[in-house]
Amino acid sequence: MKTANAMEWLDRLITAHASISEKGKEITEAELALLLQKLRTEKSEQVGYVRAMMLSLDNEDSQQFFITNHYTYAHNLLDLALNRPNSNSLNNSSDKLASQITTLLTDLITAIYRQYSLVINPNSRAPEVYLKRVQRNWKSQIPFFTHELNTADPGIAYVILTPVRRWLGTGSTENKTIRHMLYFSRLRTDLNFLIPVKTSESYFSNLEKHLIRINFNSHDCFDHLTIRIAQVINKMPTYFEKLDKLLLISKELKQQIVIPDVGLHPMADSLVNSLEKWIAQEIIYLERKTRDYLIPTSHNAAPLEQTSSIKREPSSKVLCMLTVDQMAILLRAADESKLLNAKSISAVYKQITPYLSSPFKEEISPDSMRSKSYAAEDRDKRIVIDALHRLVKKIEQF
């Protein structure tokens, strides 16, 4: 079996061969025959050595460290062999040897990857054989994807195909890692299932859901989704409706299944996290605007009919500028703090709700209010607390 320095012989051979080629020296037929015979047995010996070492290591970290180092060493030797000086020899012995060395290393890298692809560090360089196959498949389908995606949504077509074209065109090995190769290979396969693009009843299209699922975290994708959300929100006539729509979109986003440890840019923040942060900031802004509308301050006070597009018929009910959920929280707190004295919280709701209405609901059900009071959301609690602070300040001015 090979020793721990299994690839040093190849390393020395490549270095010596480069020196011979550079000086224009010739390799005799006898020497060439011996070297070629040695190279024919080297691949099986290397594969056997790797298999034996992997079986002897008893934990995953040690296995990954060994196989990644061995795999990277083979890649480095292949680069060294490919970058050798041109031969000045009159015969082709040197070229025959170079060809055999390159073939051996390419086959060895492919064999290691085929057997240990799940163990090798995904940030390692992708094997050339597999990489070219993935890129060739992409190039053959680029025209088809361009047509189909542009027909469905030109914006999403640009978002998806721009990183693909950049990956196919770059000559750097930085983005030619195993991780990138597998990511783009999976993207191409998935697009074949998603095309033709079908309509979706939910806010996000099927393509957008898939980009979220595979963490397609490019700046263009983030901008595309946030612009689309903003356009939908801006169509809503009131702050109440804007906030309600945004909360529904946020709920749908949180319900999306995201594949772990996958991403277009692995070191960057995930697409779903970036979107959630953006939506959270928009919600904070709309909540503030909603509170200002519900309980106007001296600076932004305006008659209700001037600040709302809601048309309301004259009513004998008292209009409370809180939502039903927020009124439920307020009445429950008043009951439990003994500010209101009744047989039960249900009695409080039954006695008070017939005389109240909210900006969006004329008839309020006591049972509905009671159930909502025990499922209070943080957002509603903050609005009620803010309303009470304003009442305190107003009382202090009396």
Side-chain angles (χ1 to χ4, degrees), residues 124-141:
S124 302
R125 183 170 156 190
E128 197 70 16
V129 173
Y130 286 85
L131 181 63
K132 286 182 177 179
R133 183 188 304 163
V134 172
Q135 292 183 323
R136 185 168 58 250
N137 290 338
W138 255 112
K139 289 176 181 177
S140 68
Q141 287 198 280

Side-chain angles (χ1 to χ4, degrees), residues 34-101:
L34 287 173
L35 290 172
L36 293 180
Q37 180 62 32
K38 174 68 173 173
L39 287 171
R40 290 189 190 99
T41 61
E42 190 68 18
K43 176 189 170 183
S44 59
E45 290 181 0
Q46 289 288 338
V47 172
Y49 165 72
V50 169
R51 186 181 296 113
M53 285 298 297
M54 290 295 286
L55 290 173
S56 69
L57 298 172
D58 56 0
N59 64 77
E60 292 182 2
D61 290 340
S62 298
Q63 288 179 341
Q64 185 181 64
F65 180 79
F66 165 76
I67 198 65
T68 301
N69 281 351
H70 205 77
Y71 176 83
T72 303
Y73 191 8
H75 262 299
N76 292 338
L77 291 181
L78 179 60
D79 289 339
L80 187 62
L82 292 172
N83 294 327
R84 71 182 181 87
N86 292 327
S87 173
N88 295 319
S89 175
L90 296 177
N91 63 31
N92 62 355
S93 298
S94 182
D95 292 335
K96 284 182 180 178
L97 180 58
S99 176
Q100 286 298 316
I101 292 173

Side-chain angles (χ1 to χ4, degrees), residues 64 66 128 146 213 267 269 284 301 362 374 389 394:
Q64 185 181 64
F66 165 76
E128 197 70 16
T146 301
R213 187 178 300 115
M267 301 306 294
D269 199 9
I284 291 173
E362 180 71 18
Y374 290 99
H389 282 314
K394 180 59 67 175

